[in-house]
Amino acid sequence: MLDHIFLTVSDLDRSIAFYSSALAPLGIVNRLDYDGKDGPPGHPDLKGFGANGRMFFWLQLGSVDSSSAHVGFVANSREMVDATYAAAMAAGATDNGAPSARLHYDPRYYAANVFDPDGYSLEFVYKSWQHNE
């Protein structure tokens, strides 16, 4: 299980606005700014996102290599996938696969895919078998 991930972005303000809107339907609505000077030498400033008392998705300013990461976010229903996809598109995402079953994985794998403003591949996914259904 992952605890957190850092994603390097080219424009923090733009990315904070994008992720604040795009992730809200997933319940990822908590924000935290971490000042790197409070950490060990060389620690970056971070802009965090989380839910339920956990901060797990962090942005840092720097050089972007959008081919270096694909981030999949858990949705609790198909409707949540649909809402998150719509929110991401409204916030400036580029479509990379509208919400639907991903039959090449499993007929119960329902997802939507977008590219964020820096071109990172994001997936909003509902796997019914992981939700006791």
Side-chain angles (χ1 to χ4, degrees):
M1 180 179 295
L2 294 175
D3 182 70
H4 61 275
I5 185 169
F6 292 3
L7 196 64
T8 303
V9 298
S10 63
D11 182 327
L12 277 173
D13 291 334
R14 178 184 70 182
S15 292
I16 290 167
F18 173 79
Y19 282 104
S20 292
S21 295
L23 300 180
L26 297 174
I28 301 172
V29 295
N30 300 110
R31 279 266 303 109
L32 177 69
D33 292 341
Y34 180 80
D35 190 334
K37 72 177 180 350
D38 294 335
H43 197 291
D45 291 338
L46 298 170
K47 307 300 182 181
F49 296 81
N52 304 319
R54 291 187 57 237
M55 303 306 290
F56 49 85
F57 184 70
W58 297 88
L59 303 177
Q60 65 181 0
L61 184 62
S63 298
V64 171
D65 177 4
S66 62
S67 66
S68 68
H70 167 83
V71 182
F73 292 93
V74 174
N76 292 325
S77 67
R78 288 175 174 235
E79 293 78 18
M80 192 177 278
V81 169
D82 296 346
T84 307
Y85 173 81
M89 293 299 291
T94 302
D95 176 60
N96 189 31
S100 69
R102 300 302 195 239
L103 300 176
H104 48 276
Y105 296 130
D106 186 283
R108 301 165 297 164
Y109 189 118
Y110 187 84
N113 297 77
V114 301
F115 293 115
D116 84 346
D118 281 307
Y120 285 107
S121 172
L122 307 177
E123 183 172 14
F124 314 118
V125 61
Y126 174 65
K127 299 174 182 175
S128 63
W129 68 91
Q130 293 179 342
H131 297 272
N132 299 318
E133 293 180 13

